[in-house]
Amino acid sequence: MSVRTEEMVLNMGPQHPSTHGVLRLELTLEGEIVTKVVPHIGYLHRCFEKHCEAMTYQQVVPYTDRMDYLAAMGNELGYAIAVEKLLNIQVPERVEYIRVIMAELQRIASHLVAIGTYGADIGAFTPFLYCFRDREKILHLFEITCGARLLYNYIWPGGLSHDLHPDFERLTREFIKEFRPNLVELNNLLTYNRIFIDRTANVGILPVETAINFGVTGPMLRGSGMKWDLRKDDPYSVYHKFDFEIPVGEGKMGTVGDSWDRYFVRVREMEESLKIIEQALDQLPEGDVTSAIPKRIKPPVGQVYARVENPRGELGYFLISDGSTSPFRVKVRAPSFVNLQIMDELCRGHMVADVVAILGSVDIVLGEVDR
C-alpha cells in the first residue's frame, strides 16, 4: 500500500522579539522538513526615505534613529558622514573620537540584545537577563550624555549635540572593568552549553560564496569565514588609529558559517569593541564638539554614498542634493533587509524547530527592513 503525502504550508511568526507583527515566514513543509521559506515583511510602512525629502538635512537625524532602534548611534554616524561628504567639511578630532566611542558602545548594546534574545529563542532565559543587565549600564552612559536611552539625536552633521558628561569617562572605564568577567560568565553559561551547541552548530550553514552572492554583510558574512569589516577595509572616522581584530567563523563547534559561528562572532566582537573604546578614551583629545556644526545646511548639487559598519552589517546612505536645504532623495542600504533574503537558502532541508535557531542567528531589526 502506498502512502500519499502532500506539502503543507505553515505560517510562522511573529516568534522572535524583533519581529512583533512585522515579519511572517511562509514555510512549505514535507512532514517536518522545510522545503521553502518566503519572508513576508511589512506593516510598519513608515516611509522614512520619502519623509526625508520634506525635511531639512538636520531634521533627518531623528528619523535615522528609528530605522534600527538598537543601533541608533551607528545610524546617525552614517548619515552625518554622508552629509559632511556632501558639504566637504571636516569635523574636530574630539568629535570623531567620541563618535567612535558611542558607536562601539552601541555595538556592544546591540549584540547583547541579539545574544540574549537568541538564547531565549532556544529556551535559555537566564542569559537574557544577564545581557540586559549589562546593556542597561550602556544605556545609562547614553542617558547621561544626551538625555535619551534609545533614540538619541546625538550625532549631528558637523559635530555632536552635547559634549561628554564629566562622569562619562570614569563610568565607561568601570563598565569595561565589570563587563570583561561578565563575558566569561556568558561563555560558561551559554556559548559552551551543550544544549545550545546542539541547537546551533551545523544548523543553517552559510557558505562564504553564497553570502557574497546575496550581498550579506556584518557578523553574518564574517561568521562564514570572510574577514570583511568596513572599519578596517574601508576605514572612516578615526578607526584607522586603533588596534583591534576582526573575528571570523572558524567552525569550532561544527561547520564554518553555521548558526553557532554567527553567534560567537558577535561575542568576540564585543571584546574587540572594548579594546577600541579603551584606546579612544586614552587618546581622547580636547576641543569643542559644536564648532563645525553648520547653522544652515545647503550643500551644492551632487550625490554621495557613505557607509559604516553597523552591528548588523553595512549601513549605507545614498544622498542626492539639488542644492536646496532638503535632500532631493535619500536611499538607505539597510543590512537587515539584505541579510533577511538568505532565510530560504539557510532553512531548506532543516526541521521546523531549526528555523527558530536560524532566524535568531540572522539578527534582524524590522525597523530598517520596512523603512
Side-chain angles (χ1 to χ4, degrees), residues 1-19:
M1 182 179 123
S2 62
V3 178
R4 181 168 169 269
T5 61
E6 291 182 354
E7 286 187 337
M8 181 174 74
V9 176
L10 177 71
N11 286 307
M12 180 177 168
Q15 163 267 323
H16 188 272
S18 76
T19 59

Side-chain angles (χ1 to χ4, degrees), residues 81-324:
I81 291 174
V83 176
E84 287 156 9
K85 212 168 165 183
L86 262 181
L87 293 169
N88 195 24
I89 60 171
Q90 292 284 326
V91 300
E93 200 170 32
R94 180 176 176 81
V95 170
E96 297 283 19
Y97 275 77
I98 295 175
R99 285 178 175 184
V100 167
I101 292 169
M102 294 301 171
E104 294 309 312
L105 283 171
Q106 183 78 89
R107 189 180 315 280
I108 296 172
S110 176
H111 282 353
L112 282 172
V113 174
I115 290 165
T117 55
Y118 192 38
D121 281 349
I122 297 173
F125 188 65
T126 306
F128 175 85
L129 299 176
Y130 286 14
C131 288
F132 273 66
R133 171 199 62 192
D134 292 327
R135 177 175 177 261
E136 177 64 27
K137 295 169 189 168
I138 297 175
L139 297 191
H140 177 64
L141 292 172
F142 290 154
E143 189 174 9
I144 64 168
T145 303
C146 61
R149 291 167 54 81
L150 194 69
L151 308 171
Y152 310 108
N153 191 17
Y154 180 62
I155 298 175
W156 291 356
L160 305 167
S161 66
H162 305 78
D163 204 342
L164 295 178
H165 187 277
D167 292 335
F168 181 86
E169 183 176 344
R170 176 181 61 79
L171 292 172
T172 304
R173 290 189 189 279
E174 285 177 9
F175 164 74
I176 293 171
K177 193 176 175 184
E178 291 170 5
F179 187 55
R180 283 210 166 100
N182 291 352
L183 276 174
V184 177
E185 183 183 54
L186 176 70
N187 285 331
N188 292 334
L189 190 64
L190 185 65
T191 306
Y192 302 120
N193 180 291
R194 188 68 252 172
I195 300 170
F196 180 74
I197 293 170
D198 288 346
R199 288 296 312 273
T200 55
N202 290 318
V203 173
I205 298 165
L206 176 59
V208 67
E209 297 82 11
T210 308
I212 294 169
N213 289 341
F214 275 81
V216 166
T217 54
M220 290 281 292
L221 177 62
R222 293 190 285 276
S224 296
M226 183 161 178
K227 197 176 263 192
W228 175 260
D229 189 310
L230 295 174
R231 294 173 295 172
K232 286 275 191 188
D233 296 293
D234 186 12
Y236 53 92
S237 191
V238 286
Y239 275 106
H240 61 282
K241 296 187 176 181
F242 305 123
D243 180 29
F244 61 101
E245 297 295 321
I246 305 299
V248 295
E250 297 171 355
K252 281 173 72 175
M253 295 297 165
T255 308
V256 173
D258 61 17
S259 297
W260 192 90
D261 267 353
R262 289 191 283 278
Y263 158 85
F264 195 50
V265 162
R266 294 186 181 101
V267 174
R268 293 174 61 200
E269 282 186 1
M270 293 195 292
E271 296 170 0
E272 298 305 318
S273 291
L274 292 179
K275 287 186 199 170
I276 295 171
I277 295 166
E278 275 183 327
Q279 294 172 64
L281 287 174
D282 291 341
Q283 302 168 25
L284 186 62
E286 295 295 326
D288 191 345
V289 300
T290 57
S291 58
I293 296 176
K295 288 182 180 170
R296 184 164 178 260
I297 296 180
K298 194 175 178 184
V301 175
Q303 58 186 35
V304 295
Y305 180 73
R307 56 184 183 171
V308 294
E309 189 68 43
N310 243 25
R312 268 155 282 281
E314 177 182 330
L315 173 72
Y317 289 90
F318 177 58
L319 304 183
I320 299 178
S321 165
D322 59 0
S324 70

